[in-house]
């Protein structure tokens, strides 16, 4: 993880040094902002101020805060984009859809490599852990919880996230032999009902 050093403020307005320089400074500022304030506390305006550019320029280059965050940390998946589609369809199949979505995405070598790196960096790291937790809380757990519309929705969604995280760690980081060699359909068949139980039982 890069060392978090607040860059020297620059004047607002059109950036000097061209687009590449502006984008580099925005990414550097985002690393500082996310590192100091966490995902929830960081704002696009704060990042823009650190980079010495207008907030509109940050949105122009990087889109949403989730877009910028995933570029900064190299996140392999985009639950903020994919979860809404996963939530469509029969409620009693949602658990299987979530498990299949994650496992099939991690079958791609580039996703798996970045995902493993991020998991290892995020476990117990005082800088990375709050970033990942904040991102997952807002972009994954929060979206699932809003769909459930029950009093304990946040707990249910958090249990889903814990199940998926544990599955990925056991399959791809610890590489427990039987689980690492199992095919996606078999794991979906066995784990999907457990995730479904968190959602609807």
């Amino acid at each position: 993880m890069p060392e978090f050093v607040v860059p020297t403020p620059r004047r607002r307005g059109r950036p000097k040094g061209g687009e590449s320089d502006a984008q580099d400074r925005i990414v550097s500022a985002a690393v500082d902002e996310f590192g100091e304030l966490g995902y929830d506390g960081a704002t696009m305006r704060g990042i823009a101020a650190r980079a010495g550019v207008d907030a509109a320029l940050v949105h122009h280059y990087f889109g949403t805060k989730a877009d910028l965050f995933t570029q900064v940390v190299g996140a392999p998946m985009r639950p903020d984009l994919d979860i809404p589609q996963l939530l469509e369809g029969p409620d009693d199949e949602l658990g299987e859809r979530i498990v299949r979505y994650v496992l099939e995405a991690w079958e791609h070598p580039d996703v798996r490599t970045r995902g493993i790196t991020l998991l290892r960096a995020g476990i117990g790291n005082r800088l990375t852990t709050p970033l990942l937790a904040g991102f997952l809380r807002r972009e994954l757990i929060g979206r699932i919880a809003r769909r459930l519309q029950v009093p304990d929705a946040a707990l249910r969604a958090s249990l889903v996230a814990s199940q998926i995280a544990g599955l990925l760690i056991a399959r791809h980081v610890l590489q427990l032999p039987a689980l690492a060699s199992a095919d996606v359909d078999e794991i979906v068949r066995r784990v999907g009902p457990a995730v479904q139980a968190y959602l609807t039982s």
Side-chain angles (χ1 to χ4, degrees):
M1 195 74 177
E3 182 180 358
F4 295 102
V5 178
V6 178
T8 303
R10 295 181 59 174
R11 69 177 182 82
R12 298 175 66 84
R14 189 174 183 81
K16 295 180 179 179
E19 290 188 5
S20 179
D21 176 65
Q23 291 180 46
D24 288 346
R25 287 191 287 112
I26 290 169
V27 169
S28 178
V31 169
D32 294 338
E33 183 88 354
F34 286 129
E36 292 178 15
L37 303 178
Y39 183 80
D40 291 332
T43 66
M44 297 295 263
R45 287 186 177 278
I47 292 167
R50 288 176 184 264
V53 301
D54 291 328
L57 196 64
V58 182
H59 287 285
H60 171 72
Y61 286 142
F62 297 99
T64 66
K65 183 168 77 167
D67 292 328
L68 180 54
F69 175 81
T70 55
Q71 177 157 335
V72 167
V73 301
M77 300 172 68
R78 292 298 304 274
D80 56 309
L81 300 180
D82 298 329
I83 288 297
Q85 182 176 352
L86 282 175
L87 293 178
E88 297 177 0
D91 286 349
D92 61 356
E93 298 174 2
L94 180 56
E96 289 191 0
R97 290 201 302 275
I98 291 173
V99 176
R100 183 174 297 280
Y101 155 71
V102 173
L103 290 179
E104 288 184 346
W106 280 58
E107 288 298 291
H108 298 282
D110 60 329
V111 173
R112 184 167 59 251
T113 299
R114 286 186 291 150
I116 291 171
T117 299
L118 196 56
L119 278 176
R120 286 173 171 162
I123 298 173
N125 184 296
R126 67 181 182 85
L127 295 176
T128 311
T129 299
L131 292 181
L132 295 178
F135 179 74
L136 292 175
R137 183 170 56 249
R138 175 172 293 189
E139 306 298 350
L140 174 62
I141 296 171
R143 292 173 189 274
I144 294 175
R146 286 192 291 273
R147 166 66 178 267
L148 297 178
Q149 296 183 337
V150 293
D152 60 347
L155 176 58
R156 289 172 179 264
S158 296
L159 288 169
V160 170
S162 72
Q163 179 79 46
I164 298 300
L167 175 60
L168 292 175
I169 291 170
R171 180 172 169 85
H172 295 292
V173 178
L174 299 178
Q175 295 185 342
L176 301 181
L179 183 57
S181 62
D183 63 39
V184 169
D185 289 339
E186 176 70 7
I187 298 174
V188 170
R189 184 178 70 82
R190 292 175 179 269
V191 179
V195 172
Q196 187 67 40
Y198 290 140
L199 294 169
T200 58
S201 293

